[in-house]
Amino acid sequence: MRFVQSEQIKIANLESKMDVAQEVVENYIFDTGIKGKDALRLRLLSEEVLRLAKSIIGYGIMNFWLEGNSRVTKIYLTAENHMDKSKEDELISVSSTGENKVEQGFFGKLRSLFVVNAPTTSKWSLKDYQEELRRRKEEDKYSQEAWDDLERSLVANLADDIEVGVGKDNIEMIVTKDFSEALGAIGSRVPVAKSDFTFVDSKKIDEGKVYARADELIEELDVSAKDAMHLKLLFEETIGMLKAMTADFRAELWFEKYKNVCCLKLTAKTLMDAGKKKDLIQVASDRDNSAVKGFMSKIGDVVENGLLNYSEVMKLQQQYGTGYVSFGSMGIYGIMEGSSDPGVMWSLSDYRESLGNDQENDPSAKEAWDELEKSIVASLAKDVLVGVKGDRIDITMVYGLNS
């Protein structure tokens, strides 16, 4: 897949420049070869992101462009940060009610980041915001209202992540869209059913309680006994992988049901510091001397090595003299050229395809293929997608319903 960077344009008056922006998107779609529904989703997402950003930034000049390939695309918006409290008051005053009714919702959360005197953080991401709401929604009425607002947002539903960075002089918004085939069945769609959440701490995993909780979550989906059994197996294999990981973490897991598929979703934050990173690097370095056995162990290896792929790793290498840990290329996709923090994206479908191409000429690939054939997860899941960026882990297992 060829990496493409679109033309960068400046937008002062969005209405007069919308045709130009749409042309930039169309040229990007042609150059990357994005087709069908994926192309429609990208057109819609790009337009909604522009309108959202302009409604927040106001009358400033925005820079707009796209980067990526037919698998993963990032939409970039940058602007000078000239907003202050008076500009915020001006934006509110021209609203239909003269009040900021959505101050606590998804839109309001983004708005607050663009006001120089108001932001509580210089960095924000959709995934972190979702995690915050999941942890609070059961006991906090505001969080439930904010969650409802989030789920109504077209941008939040179309995008896989939104990252906002606010500096003294500049603002940057990066919107990520993943066109993986497995996500086509669940991305941009409202689930038919969605379970509650369960939370897992690596330091105190009580398997009995966790597995009993899985039964409760699966029951909420109203699936057949056979599908329920398979979903429970995926859940148990995931917990087993988490227990085997070296890194400490807090994770939340839940299920979503769509027309023909269910997915098990996991998002986790690792509890990393310099000392723990040093230990993790040493463990990963030692693994270079022996192959990681077991399919789920390989996913755990992708996760752990992905966690090493952020800024302070270089400092640790210099301090402790450890070598760079390579996680290999099989199944890795979506790495953005020139990005200072690209993260790691891995999928079962890409891994399977790579092994299928290499196993005739590579004994180790043949061994890995045999291992894959024996895996419960690989046999049940249509795909497994893993994302690691900074200290965050996201895993989606997509399962095709039998009935």
Side-chain angles (χ1 to χ4, degrees):
M1 288 176 285
R2 186 167 65 92
F3 175 81
V4 174
Q5 184 179 75
S6 77
E7 176 189 0
Q8 295 189 24
I9 61 171
K10 293 184 179 296
I11 301 174
N13 184 321
L14 181 59
E15 296 309 317
S16 66
K17 278 281 195 176
M18 183 57 82
D19 288 346
V20 178
Q22 289 173 338
E23 184 178 353
V24 168
V25 175
E26 289 301 324
N27 290 338
Y28 174 85
I29 288 172
F30 177 81
D31 290 341
T32 54
I34 298 172
K35 300 182 185 301
K37 290 183 179 179
D38 289 341
L40 290 173
R41 290 188 181 111
L42 185 56
R43 291 185 188 104
L44 181 57
L45 178 59
S46 299
E47 185 172 330
E48 290 298 316
V49 166
L50 282 167
R51 293 191 187 282
L52 172 63
K54 196 61 182 178
S55 66
I56 297 172
I57 295 171
Y59 306 105
I61 296 175
M62 299 187 299
N63 300 300
F64 170 75
W65 74 98
L66 301 92
E67 293 182 5
N69 53 42
S70 60
R71 186 66 176 276
V72 179
T73 287
K74 292 183 182 290
I75 302 169
Y76 286 82
L77 282 165
T78 63
E80 291 184 1
N81 191 355
H82 57 79
M83 289 187 69
D84 54 24
K85 187 60 180 173
S86 63
K87 177 62 70 175
E88 171 74 354
D89 292 339
E90 178 185 345
L91 287 174
I92 294 173
S93 70
V94 298
S95 70
S96 58
T97 62
E99 298 179 1
N100 188 356
K101 289 290 187 182
V102 291
E103 187 175 13
Q104 291 183 311
F106 169 68
F107 182 85
K109 189 74 173 180
L110 280 177
R111 181 197 292 270
S112 71
L113 290 164
F114 286 83
V115 184
V116 174
N117 297 326
T120 57
T121 178
S122 59
K123 291 185 178 181
W124 179 92
S125 78
L126 174 61
K127 288 183 177 179
D128 286 339
Y129 182 53
Q130 289 170 325
E131 178 189 16
E132 173 192 347
L133 293 185
R134 279 192 292 269
R135 290 182 178 274
R136 295 175 58 186
K137 78 181 270 196
E138 287 188 349
E139 64 220 18
D140 188 337
K141 182 175 183 293
Y142 148 63
S143 292
Q144 181 60 53
E145 291 174 352
W147 185 269
D148 292 342
D149 185 70
L150 176 66
E151 294 204 323
R152 284 193 296 268
S153 167
L154 184 60
V155 174
N157 281 312
L158 282 170
D160 291 288
D161 198 12
I162 301 169
E163 298 169 284
V164 177
V166 180
K168 182 178 179 182
D169 301 315
N170 296 291
I171 298 164
E172 180 180 63
M173 179 187 290
I174 305 173
V175 179
T176 302
K177 183 63 183 174
D178 188 336
F179 297 113
S180 294
E181 183 179 351
L183 294 178
I186 60 177
S188 314
R189 300 186 184 187
V190 177
V192 174
K194 187 173 184 178
S195 78
D196 205 345
F197 312 102
T198 188
F199 302 97
V200 177
D201 189 321
S202 61
K203 291 185 177 179
K204 45 185 178 182
I205 296 179
D206 184 327
E207 289 189 356
K209 288 183 178 179
V210 171
Y211 294 156
R213 181 61 175 149
D215 289 330
E216 295 173 1
L217 301 183
I218 293 169
E219 188 175 354
E220 297 175 24
L221 303 176
D222 190 24
V223 296
S224 69
K226 182 178 181 180
D227 286 329
M229 179 183 67
H230 289 167
L231 290 171
K232 179 73 174 292
L233 286 171
L234 290 177
F235 186 94
E236 291 176 350
E237 289 289 309
T238 302
I239 294 297
M241 179 204 69
L242 293 176
K243 285 186 64 178
M245 281 176 53
T246 307
D248 292 334
F249 60 86
R250 292 192 187 97
E252 50 209 86
L253 299 92
W254 70 97
F255 293 94
E256 293 177 0
K257 178 185 176 183
Y258 295 83
K259 184 178 180 181
N260 299 312
V261 300
C262 274
C263 58
L264 168 61
K265 289 198 168 186
L266 174 149
T267 184
K269 279 288 193 72
T270 56
L271 312 176
M272 299 286 283
D273 56 31
K276 289 177 182 177
K277 284 186 185 179
K278 175 204 168 190
D279 294 340
L280 189 55
I281 286 176
Q282 188 58 54
V283 169
S285 298
D286 290 343
R287 283 183 185 161
D288 284 346
N289 298 323
S290 60
V292 177
K293 299 295 183 182
F295 172 66
M296 290 302 286
S297 296
K298 283 184 166 59
I299 292 182
D301 203 45
V302 169
V303 169
E304 291 193 336
N305 287 317
L307 291 171
L308 302 177
N309 198 34
Y310 62 112
S311 58
E312 292 193 22
V313 163
M314 294 306 297
K315 297 177 185 177
L316 286 172
Q317 288 175 5
Q318 294 168 2
Q319 183 176 356
Y320 299 109
T322 56
Y324 180 73
V325 182
S326 173
F327 45 74
S329 60
M330 282 191 175
I332 303 294
Y333 73 97
I335 301 301
M336 293 295 171
E337 295 180 8
S339 174
S340 59
D341 184 18
V344 173
M345 303 173 76
W346 180 96
S347 79
L348 169 59
S349 60
D350 287 62
Y351 178 65
R352 182 180 276 127
E353 183 179 353
S354 296
L355 287 180
N357 293 334
D358 291 357
Q359 64 172 315
E360 290 185 5
N361 302 317
D362 186 343
S364 61
K366 177 64 169 66
E367 181 182 350
W369 180 268
D370 293 340
E371 182 180 80
L372 191 64
E373 294 283 281
K374 298 173 185 175
S375 165
I376 293 174
V377 171
S379 64
L380 291 177
K382 293 180 66 175
D383 204 353
V384 178
L385 296 110
V386 179
V388 187
K389 187 170 184 180
D391 60 353
R392 170 175 289 283
I393 304 161
D394 290 283
I395 298 176
T396 299
M397 293 189 177
V398 181
Y399 167 79
L401 291 168
N402 290 290
S403 58

